[in-house]
Amino acid sequence: MRRNQRGYRKNKKNNHELQDRKFIKTLSISVLVLIVLLVFISIVYAICQAIEHNKFLKSVNEELEQAKSEISDVQEEPKKEEKTDISFTLTAIGDIMCHNTQYMDAFNSETNEYDFSYVFKEISNYTKLGDIAIGSLETSFAGSAKGYSNYPTFNSPDSLAYDLKKIGIDVLSTAGNHCLDMGFPGLSRTIDVLDDADISHLGTYKSQEDRDTILVKNVKGANIAFINYTYGTNGIPIPSGQEFCVNLIDKELIKSDIAKAKEQNVDLIVACMHWGTEYLTTANQEQEELADFLFQNGVDIILGNHPHVLEPMKKKTITLEDGRTKDVFVIYALGNFICDQNAENTRNSIILNLKMTKHIDNKITIDKVDYVPIYMYKDNSSGVQKMRLLDIQKNIDNYEIDINNGVKPAISQSLYNNLKIQLEKIRKIVEPNEI
């Protein structure tokens, strides 16, 4: 009986061991299958990811190729810029004179130099404001060796040219009755000084080639031609063989120069005319007839000088011989910009502004004409720097504000009264014909 029990327990133990081995075997197989399944799934997933990645790369490459193609197309066919209207302002000042009292006032004994910058301090923001600024030179820069001189033959310190550049003057007309005051050498040196000061010039020349070249300035995309002529040279003969050195008023010469300007497809022609009767505040018949001649032959703007006083200005629309119409403008005289003259109206003047537009059809319109009234003041109570240009309206306004506020004005009552008189004179001369 005990043997049978031992045998039974032994068999039972063997059965358990057999079952355990089967279980372990089954479990191992299951784990193995699971591992194989996981590996398979991983491989499938990796393959799918690779396929998607390749698709992505292909898409990116296609987009890159398309972008390269578009860039290439842009490079091969540059986009045309659309034309638009161009607006610009031409600023003009009158005669730039330099009497001996002026250059003596500008002399600094400590530095032994001449400095005119203080003269322009109050008005320089106006001359700098325009897109191009032009004036009339009524003196020469023949050099200190010649000796600085006054009327009737002018020779001024070179520093005046550089100070004019500092206040924004871009162009100076030089054909005037004083251009040969120091002879051809003085005329030539004046040109050299203006070149060095980076101021364009016209009307006087050092060679025939220079004379035959029309001055053209590009202003914000508009090409403006400038021409300049004088009635004479104060009886000083033009040097023989150097007739090219100064442009005299001659209709055939003017027509030829206008034709040369037109050949350069300019948008605007400005004529600077040294003409008229000194100290007369109205244009004479010769000026009016010559203005009509200039307009009919292609000039658009006429800037007159020489009389040393203001003369009327006028803007109008004219009809040309071919039936076309165009805007034209003339100011018969701009008066003196700087001087030390004492005749009536010789110390009042204006800074003229012509606001124009070049339209997409290349037609030029004169949209607005305005001006800043100025006065050449001489403060005899001051020991130094007596001369300065005043903004008339600004000084009048400031005086009245100070009086109303109980503040002592910067200018005297007598100067205030004089400036009011000068302002009224300016308006009476120019405004009846203003647009």
Side-chain angles (χ1 to χ4, degrees), residues 204-221:
T204 58
Y205 308 95
K206 294 169 65 175
S207 69
Q208 184 68 50
E209 182 182 3
D210 290 343
R211 201 234 71 81
D212 293 338
T213 302
I214 302 297
L215 176 64
V216 178
K217 303 288 286 185
N218 184 280
V219 182
K220 296 177 70 175

Side-chain angles (χ1 to χ4, degrees), residues 48-116:
C48 290
Q49 288 293 99
I51 292 171
E52 289 298 319
H53 183 66
N54 287 336
K55 286 181 179 179
F56 172 75
L57 290 177
K58 184 178 180 181
S59 175
V60 170
N61 288 330
E62 288 175 352
E63 290 179 4
L64 287 173
E65 290 299 322
Q66 184 177 355
K68 288 179 182 179
S69 176
E70 290 175 357
I71 293 171
S72 177
D73 290 342
V74 169
Q75 291 175 341
E76 290 175 5
E77 298 179 14
K79 187 178 180 180
K80 293 181 180 179
E81 292 185 5
E82 293 184 5
K83 285 187 176 182
T84 58
D85 290 350
I86 298 169
S87 295
F88 58 94
T89 300
L90 184 150
T91 297
I93 58 175
D95 286 327
I96 298 162
M97 305 190 72
C98 189
H99 294 90
N100 58 349
T101 48
Q102 290 172 261
Y103 60 73
M104 289 165 62
D105 192 51
F107 182 68
N108 186 326
S109 58
E110 293 181 1
T111 61
N112 202 34
E113 294 177 346
Y114 295 85
D115 178 8
F116 295 87

Side-chain angles (χ1 to χ4, degrees), residues 126-339:
Y126 298 119
T127 49
K128 291 176 181 177
L129 195 61
D131 296 302
I132 186 167
I134 181 169
S136 167
L137 186 66
E138 274 274 62
T139 186
S140 58
F141 301 119
S144 58
K146 286 279 187 180
Y148 299 132
S149 56
N150 188 41
Y151 179 83
T153 53
F154 288 93
N155 182 32
S156 305
D158 297 350
S159 58
L160 175 57
Y162 298 95
D163 287 332
L164 289 169
K165 178 64 180 181
K166 289 175 184 176
I167 66 167
I169 302 304
D170 303 295
V171 180
L172 286 175
S173 59
T174 54
N177 54 310
H178 288 288
C179 65
L180 278 171
D181 281 1
M182 295 289 125
F184 182 75
L187 179 150
S188 297
R189 191 180 182 282
T190 299
I191 291 172
D192 292 339
V193 171
L194 295 179
D195 284 340
D196 191 64
D198 192 29
I199 297 177
S200 299
H201 48 84
L202 69 156
T204 58
Y205 308 95
K206 294 169 65 175
S207 69
Q208 184 68 50
E209 182 182 3
D210 290 343
R211 201 234 71 81
D212 293 338
T213 302
I214 302 297
L215 176 64
V216 178
K217 303 288 286 185
N218 184 280
V219 182
K220 296 177 70 175
N223 290 315
I224 305 176
F226 294 88
I227 55 178
N228 173 214
Y229 310 89
T230 180
Y231 74 92
T233 55
N234 286 349
I236 300 173
I238 296 176
S240 178
Q242 295 172 323
E243 289 79 10
F244 55 78
C245 72
V246 55
N247 283 345
L248 297 177
I249 294 175
D250 176 278
K251 287 186 176 180
E252 292 305 312
L253 177 66
I254 293 173
K255 286 176 70 174
S256 174
D257 287 344
I258 291 173
K260 288 177 184 176
K262 289 179 178 179
E263 288 173 1
Q264 298 184 54
N265 295 317
V266 296
D267 300 298
L268 195 73
I269 300 177
V270 177
C272 305
M273 304 303 296
H274 210 79
W275 60 2
T277 306
E278 286 188 328
Y279 313 116
L280 185 66
T281 57
T282 57
N284 61 34
Q285 185 177 354
E286 182 183 8
Q287 286 170 279
E288 291 176 346
E289 291 176 352
L290 191 51
D292 289 338
F293 166 82
L294 292 168
F295 288 146
Q296 286 297 327
N297 281 277
V299 169
D300 303 280
I301 308 291
I302 300 174
L303 304 175
N305 281 298
H306 170 63
H308 303 302
V309 294
L310 279 167
E311 289 184 350
M313 62 182 180
K314 182 184 296 183
K315 181 243 177 178
K316 58 183 179 179
T317 302
I318 65 168
T319 302
L320 303 174
E321 291 181 355
D322 60 7
R324 291 182 298 113
T325 61
K326 71 171 183 176
D327 288 348
V328 294
F329 173 86
V330 57
I331 182 163
Y332 288 102
L334 276 154
N336 288 328
F337 182 58
I338 56 171
C339 69

Side-chain angles (χ1 to χ4, degrees), residues 356-422:
M356 293 174 278
T357 298
K358 177 185 175 181
H359 298 274
I360 57 175
D361 61 358
N362 293 324
K363 186 174 183 179
I364 298 285
T365 57
I366 302 171
D367 306 317
K368 186 178 180 181
V369 178
D370 62 25
Y371 60 87
V372 179
I374 57 175
Y375 181 71
M376 186 67 191
Y377 176 56
K378 183 178 182 179
D379 184 2
N380 289 311
S381 66
S382 177
V384 294
Q385 298 187 352
K386 300 177 181 180
M387 312 279 188
R388 54 193 176 98
L389 279 169
L390 299 181
D391 176 344
I392 294 178
Q393 190 64 63
K394 181 179 178 181
N395 277 277
I396 290 174
D397 293 343
N398 287 344
Y399 180 91
E400 293 174 349
I401 291 171
D402 289 342
I403 289 294
N404 290 334
N405 290 331
V407 177
K408 183 180 179 181
I411 63 173
S412 66
Q413 183 176 355
S414 61
L415 177 55
Y416 164 76
N417 292 334
N418 184 33
L419 292 178
K420 291 188 72 175
I421 292 170
Q422 300 304 323

Side-chain angles (χ1 to χ4, degrees), residues 11-64:
N11 288 335
K12 188 176 182 182
K13 181 181 180 181
N14 290 338
N15 287 336
H16 280 300
E17 289 177 354
L18 181 63
Q19 287 176 356
D20 289 342
R21 283 198 296 269
K22 285 181 180 180
F23 174 75
I24 293 171
K25 184 177 180 181
T26 301
L27 181 62
S28 299
I29 292 171
S30 298
V31 170
L32 182 61
V33 170
L34 182 60
I35 291 171
V36 170
L37 182 61
L38 288 173
V39 170
F40 176 77
I41 291 171
S42 299
I43 292 171
V44 170
Y45 178 78
I47 292 171
C48 290
Q49 288 293 99
I51 292 171
E52 289 298 319
H53 183 66
N54 287 336
K55 286 181 179 179
F56 172 75
L57 290 177
K58 184 178 180 181
S59 175
V60 170
N61 288 330
E62 288 175 352
E63 290 179 4
L64 287 173

